[in-house]
């Protein structure tokens, strides 16, 4: 019986995690041109990783309607190793909302990420204008 309860609990958490991921992707899609720009916005110190604090602080600026618990589930899903930060690869791989945003090579991934990072000022300005409608 304890195993069944644990299995049910894990399933509920996974289900809630998927709902939170879907909600976040929908919010990002309305605010960013692509997932690379979303990462660039969230990685405010340009370290190529988004710490949990960066994620929470920058998320608040986006005005996406999610609870703290949902945000925590997203972070848990993206930082599956529990190392305290989310790499660019984890972020893009977990949050892309358009199949054209997938990169089939490391070189293509790096090229798209670099292009977004070079335009960070424009990315931030554009998203801030979108959320002030």
């Amino acid at each position: 019986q304890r195993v069944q309860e644990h299995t049910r609990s894990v399933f509920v958490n996974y289900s809630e995690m998927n709902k939170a991921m879907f909600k976040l992707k929908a919010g990002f899609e309305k605010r960013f041109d692509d997932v690379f720009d979303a990462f660039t916005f969230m990685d405010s110190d340009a370290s190529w990783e988004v710490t949990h604090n960066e994620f929470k602080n920058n998320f608040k600026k986006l005005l996406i309607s999610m609870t703290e618990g949902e945000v925590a589930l997203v972070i848990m899903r993206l930082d599956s190793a529990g190392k305290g930060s989310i790499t660019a690869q984890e972020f893009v791989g977990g949050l892309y909302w358009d199949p054209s945003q997938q990169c089939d090579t490391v070189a293509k991934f790096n090229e798209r990420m670099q292009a977004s990072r070079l335009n960070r000022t424009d990315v931030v300005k554009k998203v801030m204008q979108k959320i002030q409608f």
Side-chain angles (χ1 to χ4, degrees):
Q1 187 174 8
R2 289 192 103 176
V3 171
Q4 287 177 337
E5 288 175 21
H6 176 71
T7 303
R8 193 176 8 226
S9 171
V10 169
F11 179 74
V12 169
N13 287 340
Y14 190 72
S15 175
E16 292 302 313
M17 196 178 283
N18 283 339
K19 288 178 192 174
M21 291 288 286
F22 179 79
K23 219 173 181 181
L24 182 60
K25 286 181 187 184
F28 276 178
E29 186 174 12
K30 291 177 184 174
R31 290 160 177 80
F32 297 101
D33 291 342
D34 61 34
V35 70
F36 299 95
D37 286 353
F39 179 82
T40 294
F41 179 85
M42 298 298 276
D43 181 26
S44 52
D45 68 359
S47 65
W48 288 85
E49 293 190 346
V50 177
T51 65
H52 294 185
N53 283 335
E54 269 181 311
F55 193 97
K56 291 173 190 172
N57 292 336
N58 289 321
F59 178 81
K60 288 176 188 173
K61 297 175 189 174
L62 295 173
L63 305 177
I64 297 173
S65 180
M66 290 178 68
T67 67
E68 285 185 33
E70 289 171 321
V71 173
L73 286 172
V74 167
I75 291 171
M76 186 186 319
R77 173 80 178 267
L78 295 174
D79 181 19
S80 57
K83 62 191 173 307
S85 62
I86 302 160
T87 66
Q89 292 85 355
E90 290 170 326
F91 189 97
V92 171
L95 290 172
Y96 72 89
W97 53 86
D98 180 338
S100 71
Q101 296 171 14
Q102 288 182 293
C103 296
D104 54 358
T105 66
V106 172
K108 186 176 177 184
F109 176 87
N110 288 339
E111 178 184 313
R112 294 207 46 198
M113 186 58 68
Q114 193 62 36
S116 177
R117 297 184 72 74
L118 288 173
N119 296 311
R120 185 173 200 293
T121 302
D122 293 336
V123 167
V124 171
K125 189 182 304 182
K126 193 174 187 180
V127 76
M128 296 313 282
Q129 288 171 344
K130 283 183 180 182
I131 61 176
Q132 291 178 356
F133 46 78

